[in-house]
Amino acid sequence: MYKFIKTSVVGLLLLLTTACERELLETIPNDRLSVELFWKTEQDAILATNAVYTYLEGTGLFSWDGMTDIGHTNQSFATEALIEKGQTDALNSKVLTEWTNAYKGIRAANSFFKNVDQIQAQNPNTISRLKGEVKVLRAYLYLKLVSLYGEVPLITDEISLEESRQVKRVPAAQIWDFIAAELTEAAPLLPVTQEQKGRITKGAALGLKARALLYAGRYQGAAEAAKEVMDLNAYSLHPAYQKLFSYEAENNGEILLDKQFIKDTYNNNIFATMAPYSQQASTNTFVPTKNLVDAYTMNNGKEITDPASGFDPKNPYLNRDPRLKYSIYVPGEKLPDGKIFNSVPGSGTADAVGYSYITTTTGFTVKKYINAEDLAQPANGGINIILMRYAEVLLTYAEAKIELNQLDKTVLDAINLVRQRADVAMPPITDLSSQAALRKIVRRERLVELAFEGLRYFDLRRWRIAEEVMPGKVYGMTYVENGTLKTVEAPAFERSFNKNRDYLWPIPQKERDLNPGLTQNPNW
């Protein structure tokens, strides 16, 4: 019996050793989650959804306005500066990064839809809601792709590496159809409000649908989607535009969609990259231009070029639309450290034009999102970045109705709600007689209300006016020197825009090397 037991034990040990060796050879990769281990619980579905949220626009939001007539890439060697100057090509790193990041997010969304139905959910409504959220996120990414590149591959399922090298571009109209359908399907799956702040709601789905249809030139659908948001009665304009981009105004009733950040955990570096140089040596990555500052009318509603406006070129920031000083640091404004912003050349401050190659080249810097709470740790910001707010929805509604020539009181009401926010209080628009005049008004309103919120770049392209407003030198502040008015000019920099090429970006060359079946956009 002892001999049998001894033999059995030895055999068992050999069996276990063999089994262990076999298991060592059949390990699960430790750098990713296997589908055999994941997609078991509702929490898995939530985590997978959260992963797609990370592909929402972050601090890159500022680059879009920074490459237009109202903004400027402050360092001429930056990638975005090449796009401004019309000197980019299919090898440009931003052109590639925007493409690859969008498709990474789309792949994450496609993986969610392929696997989420494996979960035996205790609460099916949770899974349904998450599906709505991911549909909106995927539509958001396709909206950026079609706006930048036109025809792009439409991928709605997980594909293999080999399959990815064979995908083809599809007509832009098909992409717009897909975006509209996704958002239409998503809206009923989503609540009007979410318990967890930052998660996508019904209003975000409909608001994004309104934006997409406006960009696509489908004005009736844009007006209807915007009106659906308005009829939810879930949103209102925050009374203080001046505080709209502050910590105290986070998650206010104007915000439809934002990207949420947390200091120390999931932070951003807005202060370090966008604040005036004197504030902890910020890099002033993108700065406002004279075109933007001049677009703000006097507070009586008259343009500064109107002789009856009361504009004083020697006191150019006096009695202007309040949104000017709420959005932009101009000379005389108080800085986060308590000092006064003075960018006049030769003023001796660290913000003076010419002080260093990082100091603003226009004499202006962005004020939105620059908060004193981030002064001590400028690269450890926790301020949320707003991706869509109710003011945009109102202006979308007004613009769509104007383009349809459906000029009625609701158009004026939408525009005037934005203009007459409590701390803005601009004179109301009253004349409905001219479609052309109202088109000019609503476009200006988008410019000054939404400056440096990532929309101007796409507005110029859908309006097809980039070749009119982009080319030429970049100008900044006007100041008095020895009794004479002088205007700052960004040194050795001239913008260019080729109307026969630049309305679409090139398909990245690296992608075409991997997939020769991807055709190139015209004249690239």
Side-chain angles (χ1 to χ4, degrees), residues 272-343:
T273 57
M274 297 297 294
Y277 179 71
S278 65
Q279 308 300 290
Q280 298 284 13
S282 170
T283 56
N284 280 182
T285 308
F286 304 102
V287 294
T289 65
K290 178 178 172 63
N291 282 353
L292 174 56
V293 173
D294 288 355
Y296 292 90
T297 65
M298 301 299 289
N299 59 13
N300 58 17
K302 297 182 183 296
E303 297 182 26
I304 65 171
T305 54
D306 186 334
S309 69
F311 176 69
D312 180 0
K314 292 186 177 181
N315 294 285
Y317 316 116
L318 187 65
N319 298 324
R320 301 287 292 278
D321 181 333
R323 289 172 292 186
L324 168 57
K325 291 186 179 181
Y326 297 159
S327 304
I328 302 169
Y329 278 111
V330 297
E333 291 298 290
K334 187 177 179 180
L335 292 164
D337 66 358
K339 296 178 182 178
I340 300 301
F341 182 71
N342 186 356
S343 55

Side-chain angles (χ1 to χ4, degrees), residues 16-79:
L16 290 172
T17 301
T18 303
C20 289
E21 289 177 349
R22 185 167 61 250
E23 287 176 5
L24 286 173
L25 294 174
E26 297 174 356
T27 58
I28 296 173
N30 60 11
D31 63 342
R32 71 204 73 172
L33 284 172
S34 168
V35 293
E36 285 79 17
L37 300 177
F38 202 65
W39 300 111
K40 301 295 184 183
T41 67
E42 286 183 8
Q43 184 61 23
D44 291 342
I46 292 170
L47 291 173
T49 303
N50 293 349
V52 189
Y53 271 91
T54 64
Y55 292 96
L56 286 172
E57 189 84 68
T59 54
L61 187 81
F62 300 102
S63 69
W64 300 115
D65 284 22
M67 298 185 293
T68 69
D69 58 325
I70 68 170
H72 174 53
T73 307
N74 205 42
Q75 283 81 50
S76 61
F77 50 80
T79 300

Side-chain angles (χ1 to χ4, degrees), residues 15 77 106 152 173-174 177 216 238 291 302 351 381-382 486-487 506 523:
L15 179 62
F77 50 80
I106 289 166
V152 294
Q174 188 175 337
D177 289 343
H238 189 64
N291 282 353
K302 297 182 183 296
D351 293 317
K486 289 192 173 183
T487 298
N523 300 315

